[in-house]
Amino acid sequence: FAQARLVHRLDASTSGVLALALDAPSAAALSRQWRDRSVSKRYEAVVAGALPDGSGEVCLALSRCAVADRLGLTRMVPARDGLPCRTTYTVTRRHANGAGGWAGGSGSGRDDDDRGSAGFTTTVELTPHTGRLHQLRAHMAAIGHPILGDDIYSGPAATRLCLHAKSLAFVEPASGQTWRVDSHCDWGAAI
């Protein structure tokens, strides 16, 4: 497959689904879908703390951090004059670290417990509605729930970045059919 072409990219430490095209016309057609934001992308992440049940949205413009740039690092920060970004998330599971745990994304019925404490992590499904550099990582850190293993955005220690490209859905150029590709991730050894 020497003629294979990358259609998009993932951050270096992100695992999961990646699309390749086997010829130039397919690469152009797929790249157009990414540019037009017609590709459905879903990610799974394990974040610090306990997000409230259900789902939410993060709409924060992002810009490169000038201080990090001077140090030769790449880091995005919320900025009024940055590029508009939108991420939605859905809580899929919670973990009480080292305490036998509790799980489920559909509520315990308690609003008074301290789920934002360091003793909890939350698994979330993330959907980027824009495709900015480090968008998911910067957005989760900005709302106080950095992704585990993310040393750029102050995520708690893990054996790897707990961000996984879970699925892609796009129109396959030759057939015109919608293809969906899914990838499962077992976080067991990472957290």
Side-chain angles (χ1 to χ4, degrees), residues 124-143:
V124 292
E125 183 176 279
L126 301 168
T127 302
H129 297 276
T130 46
R132 309 291 185 218
L133 178 68
H134 291 190
Q135 176 179 329
L136 301 175
R137 297 163 68 182
H139 272 175
M140 297 314 292
I143 65 168

Side-chain angles (χ1 to χ4, degrees), residues 36-155:
D36 296 342
R37 298 186 179 133
S38 60
V39 175
S40 173
K41 299 173 276 184
R42 302 274 188 272
Y43 291 75
E44 184 174 89
V46 182
V47 301
L51 284 161
D53 289 336
S55 58
E57 178 177 74
V58 182
C59 291
L60 289 171
L62 296 174
S63 182
R64 288 174 93 78
C65 175
V67 173
D69 277 350
R70 285 194 295 275
L71 296 172
L73 305 171
T74 301
R75 181 178 168 97
M76 303 300 284
V77 293
R80 257 185 260 147
D81 62 342
L83 295 170
C85 299
R86 178 174 168 246
T87 300
T88 53
Y89 64 85
T90 302
V91 172
T92 59
R93 185 180 173 114
R94 288 207 193 80
H95 317 270
N97 300 338
W102 56 277
S106 58
S108 66
R110 293 176 49 200
D111 293 326
D112 59 339
D113 53 355
D114 182 17
R115 294 186 185 170
S117 71
F120 290 97
T121 58
T122 305
T123 301
V124 292
E125 183 176 279
L126 301 168
T127 302
H129 297 276
T130 46
R132 309 291 185 218
L133 178 68
H134 291 190
Q135 176 179 329
L136 301 175
R137 297 163 68 182
H139 272 175
M140 297 314 292
I143 65 168
H145 297 279
I147 297 172
L148 271 62
D150 193 344
D151 54 355
I152 294 173
Y153 294 94
S154 302

